[in-house]
Amino acid sequence: LGRAPVLTPLDVRRGLRGSIMGERGRVTGLDEPSRFLAVPVDREGHRYVLVVGATLENRAETLASLRDQLLIAGPIALLVATGAGYLLAGLSLRPVDSMRRRAASISAERPGERLPVPRTRDELERLGHTLNQMLDRLEEALVTERSFVADASHELRTPLALLRTELELALRHSGSAEEL
């Protein structure tokens, strides 16, 4: 910088009292903005202000490089993360889809069918056990209902047969009473 001062006289007075930091948009001898630090120094009984500084061009270049890297790597990282998330979600939901397909095929015509339960030791395994227990209860209720209907049907056959016989006899006798 040669003999060009970096600090104003006011900055020198402040620098003699304590450390100061600042930025200059333009310093004589430099074509770019710079940052400085001024600290008081005692040497051989005299108090001086020591000034060190650096241009901000390196910082600007670093930020520009970072921006360029983020513009390129950011979308690529986003696509990779999205793809990985999609694959992981698909893999983790495969047991759910297996349970769904089996549940769609279960009917009263084929008793005893149950859902496949994955050995995951998590909510999915507990859900599979719970749904299978529900299917057990529904199957038991269906068996009970069918048994009740069969018993009721059997119990009603005899009284209905008797009523039918009595009606047929009554109709026969009513026909013979008209002949007289």
Side-chain angles (χ1 to χ4, degrees), residues 27-100:
V27 176
T28 307
L30 295 176
D31 293 335
E32 50 200 49
S34 57
R35 179 177 288 155
F36 69 89
L37 172 66
V39 293
V41 176
D42 290 323
R43 177 137 184 164
E44 299 174 3
H46 295 302
R47 192 149 175 102
Y48 299 98
V49 177
L50 174 64
V51 179
V52 294
T55 65
L56 297 177
E57 187 63 28
N58 290 341
R59 184 183 122 216
E61 287 174 4
T62 302
L63 289 175
S65 173
L66 177 64
R67 180 199 64 219
D68 294 344
Q69 289 174 5
L70 287 177
L71 285 175
I72 293 169
I76 292 171
L78 181 63
L79 288 174
V80 168
T82 300
Y86 183 79
L87 288 174
L88 287 175
L91 288 174
S92 64
L93 290 177
R94 191 173 288 165
V96 174
D97 192 50
S98 172
M99 290 172 69
R100 183 202 57 80

Side-chain angles (χ1 to χ4, degrees), residues 4-170:
V6 175
L7 301 178
T8 65
L10 177 63
D11 289 335
V12 172
R13 284 192 296 276
R14 285 179 40 219
L16 288 170
R17 290 191 304 265
S19 298
I20 60 170
M21 183 177 221
E23 287 187 16
R24 296 281 188 258
R26 180 133 166 65
V27 176
T28 307
L30 295 176
D31 293 335
E32 50 200 49
S34 57
R35 179 177 288 155
F36 69 89
L37 172 66
V39 293
V41 176
D42 290 323
R43 177 137 184 164
E44 299 174 3
H46 295 302
R47 192 149 175 102
Y48 299 98
V49 177
L50 174 64
V51 179
V52 294
T55 65
L56 297 177
E57 187 63 28
N58 290 341
R59 184 183 122 216
E61 287 174 4
T62 302
L63 289 175
S65 173
L66 177 64
R67 180 199 64 219
D68 294 344
Q69 289 174 5
L70 287 177
L71 285 175
I72 293 169
I76 292 171
L78 181 63
L79 288 174
V80 168
T82 300
Y86 183 79
L87 288 174
L88 287 175
L91 288 174
S92 64
L93 290 177
R94 191 173 288 165
V96 174
D97 192 50
S98 172
M99 290 172 69
R100 183 202 57 80
R101 276 185 307 216
R102 179 68 68 83
S105 71
I106 292 176
S107 68
E109 286 78 36
R110 294 188 313 238
E113 285 192 70
R114 296 297 177 261
L115 300 177
V117 179
R119 303 282 179 220
T120 55
R121 288 188 241 158
D122 62 1
E123 294 82 10
L124 188 59
E125 183 177 358
R126 290 193 300 274
L127 176 65
H129 287 302
T130 302
L131 291 174
N132 282 338
Q133 290 168 353
M134 179 189 69
L135 288 171
D136 288 339
R137 290 190 305 273
L138 288 173
E139 189 173 309
E140 189 177 310
L142 186 62
V143 167
T144 302
E145 182 180 328
R146 284 182 178 167
S147 174
F148 171 75
V149 168
D151 289 347
S153 171
H154 180 72
E155 292 294 325
L156 289 175
R157 277 190 193 134
T158 304
L160 287 175
L162 286 174
L163 276 173
R164 185 182 219 176
T165 305
E166 287 177 7
L167 285 172
E168 287 175 0
L169 284 174

